[in-house]
Amino acid sequence: MEIFRKKDIPWRIIDGKALLVNPKTSLLYPLNETGARIWELLDGKIETNSIAAVIMDEFDVNKDEARRDVQEFVNSLTEAGLAQKL
Amino acid sequence: MTLLNDFYIRAEKLKVPLNVLIELTQACNASCLHCYIKSAKEKFTLSPDNNELTLKQYKELFEELAGLGALNLIFTGGEALLRKDFFEIAFLAKEMHFALSIFSNGILIDENISDKLSDLQPVSVYFSLYGKDSLVHDRITGADGSFLKVCQAIKLLKERGIAVGLKTMVMRDNFPQLKEIYSLGKESGVNTHDFGEEITRCIDGSCSPQLAQLDEKQLYEYYRGNIPGPFEYREELSKEEAMKKQLCAAGTFGACISAYGDIYPCAELRVSLGNIKRESFSQCWKAKNDILEELRLLNTYGDLEACRECRNIAFCRRCPGRAFSETGDWKSCYPGAILRSRVTRMINSELEPNRKEQICV
């Protein structure tokens, strides 16, 4: 499944951590390193399974954990109106 | 530590200018009594002049700021919407994923501008509201019809789901209407309504805006009153605790860029760090500069000699910009800080629980 960051979401990554802003609600979404890396990869060109593979490599987690974490995380981003499915 | 705090701490450590105020133009269609940009003799300049930054210069600036990690851009003026290329500039910033806020007097906002603002999706648009009616609001702005226009602007933006904030400078002319102004904000359904009363001198050094400032008696009544909220008694901090109070983050988290490209630590602290027409923002922001180094090194009230011996340190909310404009040194104490901390202390003392008993004892 391909998911991408909504293009109108303001965001920055600083020193590995990210801060996202939902302009419709003014809510702030700070992300840890893993979340920030997933967010960075959500350009709509990579499937979530491939993102999980990157996370597995870079953050020393096993495949199942990585897949579950990525899926849960993108679901919450979608629910918050920050990302959407292609 | 929360994730958000962690983000801010990292940003501070890396000296990321997270919040940048951009004065897009000095032109303005109002002539507010308390305006810090221009003194009364120069007000009402409706056309941006040729020396103001161009769209191309803003593009380069935004690319650089995004690279440094800046997130929040606040567009102000003068009246920012007087720039014919306002939306080109703003959409450029949006494409680079900045969170945008706009300060405006609302005069130019009609259906068409409101639709464009809706497409832009700023985090918030802030309007100045100075009176409960045309009589007072228009007298303060110097622009006939500005009250009706700002009320209309609030309505148009609310209809489009844009977050609207109000900013009210409390001064001699509108102090008697304070309660009604507060109620008007509530009835308008705005998201935030900020009140302030400390007026800064003009950037040309003129004190004329401060003539509109509350006198000491009014200041006491304002602090002691219920708007925007009642004064809450707080136990006085010990000297040691008060010395740990944080100073403002000018020059660390925040910067200001004038319509002509001058970079300042904040809109009120007009010490030029350079000009983006001559050098890059990064060069100025990272340069070895005495004032920037001091601002970043001196973080607490206890770091300032002027504050260490002050008996009102616990109640002071000093502003480095006002200190600079009134004394020439951002670290100095200044009359406005002395007055406000003294009045706050007096009211706090009046509201101290069991005060009577203590006096009797």
Side-chain angles (χ1 to χ4, degrees):
Chain A
M1 183 175 42
E2 288 170 9
I3 306 256
F4 64 96
R5 307 183 286 266
K6 280 195 178 170
K7 67 175 171 38
D8 52 4
I9 299 299
W11 61 279
R12 287 291 177 261
I13 295 180
I14 293 172
D15 197 21
K17 304 273 178 109
L19 185 60
L20 280 47
V21 185
N22 185 334
K24 284 186 181 159
T25 60
S26 304
L27 289 175
L28 300 178
Y29 296 86
L31 308 181
N32 63 16
E33 278 95 343
T34 319
R37 185 70 177 116
I38 297 171
W39 176 258
E40 209 172 19
L41 293 167
L42 284 176
D43 57 5
K45 294 175 190 157
I46 313 178
E47 289 205 349
T48 46
N49 281 347
S50 309
I51 293 176
V54 174
I55 296 302
M56 194 174 75
D57 277 354
E58 294 181 7
F59 292 89
D60 194 24
V61 286
N62 68 42
K63 192 175 168 184
D64 289 342
E65 255 182 300
R67 282 192 171 190
R68 193 184 57 236
D69 288 354
V70 169
Q71 199 51 59
E72 281 177 7
F73 181 67
V74 295
N75 285 346
S76 58
L77 289 175
T78 311
E79 278 168 28
L82 303 167
Q84 65 186 56
K85 291 170 190 166
L86 266 184
Chain B
M1 186 194 306
T2 65
L3 271 176
L4 190 59
N5 279 343
D6 189 23
F7 181 86
Y8 288 139
I9 287 169
R10 284 170 193 240
E12 187 180 359
K13 203 170 143 194
L14 295 169
K15 302 180 183 71
V16 175
L18 269 185
N19 310 313
V20 183
L21 183 89
I22 299 189
E23 294 171 349
L24 285 175
T25 179
Q26 287 201 354
C28 195
N29 45 6
S31 172
C32 297
L33 289 176
H34 59 293
C35 178
Y36 72 92
I37 291 284
K38 292 192 174 186
S39 50
K41 61 181 191 302
E42 295 181 89
K43 286 174 182 170
F44 275 130
T45 315
L46 294 176
S47 305
D49 75 51
N50 292 335
N51 291 322
E52 294 185 351
L53 295 181
T54 62
L55 180 64
K56 185 171 171 283
Q57 285 166 324
Y58 277 117
K59 184 171 185 289
E60 288 164 7
L61 173 67
F62 294 161
E63 283 167 353
E64 209 186 349
L65 289 174
L68 285 171
L71 177 60
N72 302 303
L73 293 190
I74 303 123
F75 291 137
T76 186
E79 171 54 39
L81 289 164
L82 275 174
R83 273 195 74 126
K84 299 246 180 305
D85 55 0
F86 172 82
F87 282 103
E88 284 175 85
I89 295 170
F91 276 100
L92 205 59
K94 180 186 164 79
E95 279 168 27
M96 294 186 212
H97 301 293
F98 286 101
L100 307 177
S101 299
I102 299 159
F103 291 174
S104 169
N105 57 32
I107 293 175
L108 293 173
I109 294 185
D110 55 13
E111 296 267 354
N112 179 36
I113 300 277
S114 304
D115 288 340
K116 286 185 185 166
L117 285 170
S118 177
D119 292 340
L120 183 67
Q121 279 197 10
V123 174
S124 194
V125 178
Y126 295 91
F127 293 121
S128 312
L129 181 71
Y130 301 127
K132 64 150 185 157
D133 51 31
S134 299
L135 191 70
V136 171
H137 182 89
D138 293 5
R139 188 166 70 225
I140 290 173
T141 63
D144 289 344
S146 56
F147 175 76
L148 293 177
K149 285 181 176 160
V150 75
C151 292
Q152 174 73 358
I154 295 167
K155 185 172 163 279
L156 289 170
L157 266 50
K158 291 300 298 172
E159 282 170 1
R160 287 159 178 78
I162 300 170
V164 174
L166 294 179
K167 289 186 179 290
T168 298
M169 182 58 80
V170 182
M171 46 192 135
R172 289 176 195 230
D173 280 43
N174 62 10
F175 185 55
Q177 294 196 338
L178 191 54
K179 200 173 162 193
E180 289 91 342
I181 295 170
Y182 178 76
S183 302
L184 182 59
K186 285 273 173 216
E187 287 157 18
S188 309
V190 294
N191 301 67
T192 58
H193 192 167
D194 302 323
F195 292 81
E197 44 65 34
E198 196 172 1
I199 297 175
T200 309
R201 286 185 189 181
C202 243
I203 56 178
D204 66 5
S206 157
C207 299
S208 63
Q210 292 181 321
L211 296 173
Q213 202 153 250
L214 298 180
D215 63 28
E216 185 168 347
K217 184 170 170 286
Q218 289 169 323
L219 187 71
Y220 172 87
E221 286 170 20
Y222 171 53
Y223 283 1
R224 192 77 156 85
N226 289 314
I227 292 172
F231 188 102
E232 284 181 17
Y233 169 79
R234 57 184 193 272
E235 199 167 317
E236 185 170 345
L237 295 174
S238 69
K239 189 87 180 196
E240 259 185 11
E241 288 168 321
M243 300 239 283
K244 289 181 196 160
K245 279 173 33 181
Q246 292 288 308
L247 295 168
C248 126
T252 49
F253 276 148
C256 166
I257 297 165
S258 81
Y260 303 104
D262 289 306
I263 305 167
Y264 301 109
C266 91
E268 301 194 40
L269 187 48
R270 308 293 279 204
V271 186
S272 180
L273 306 174
N275 187 297
I276 62 163
K277 289 180 183 172
R278 294 190 299 269
E279 53 224 314
S280 73
F281 179 90
S282 307
Q283 279 174 323
C284 303
W285 193 247
K286 292 174 180 170
K288 201 168 164 49
N289 174 306
D290 288 348
I291 194 146
L292 270 185
E293 281 180 17
E294 276 184 339
L295 284 167
R296 289 165 183 172
L297 193 68
L298 306 177
N299 297 313
T300 65
Y301 279 64
D303 289 336
L304 300 185
E305 200 182 335
C307 299
R308 281 198 291 269
E309 298 309 318
C310 176
R311 67 186 293 262
N312 294 328
I313 182 173
F315 298 99
C316 188
R317 286 169 294 166
R318 54 171 291 121
C319 163
R322 286 168 200 148
F324 179 77
S325 75
E326 292 186 22
T327 70
D329 179 2
W330 75 269
K331 303 186 292 300
S332 286
C333 191
Y334 61 100
I338 297 171
L339 174 65
R340 280 160 186 79
S341 57
R342 183 161 51 77
V343 171
T344 309
R345 184 195 185 98
M346 189 198 314
I347 298 171
N348 200 60
S349 150
E350 287 169 7
L351 295 176
E352 187 178 344
N354 308 317
R355 183 169 183 255
K356 244 182 183 168
E357 289 81 339
Q358 284 182 358
I359 291 170
C360 292
V361 170

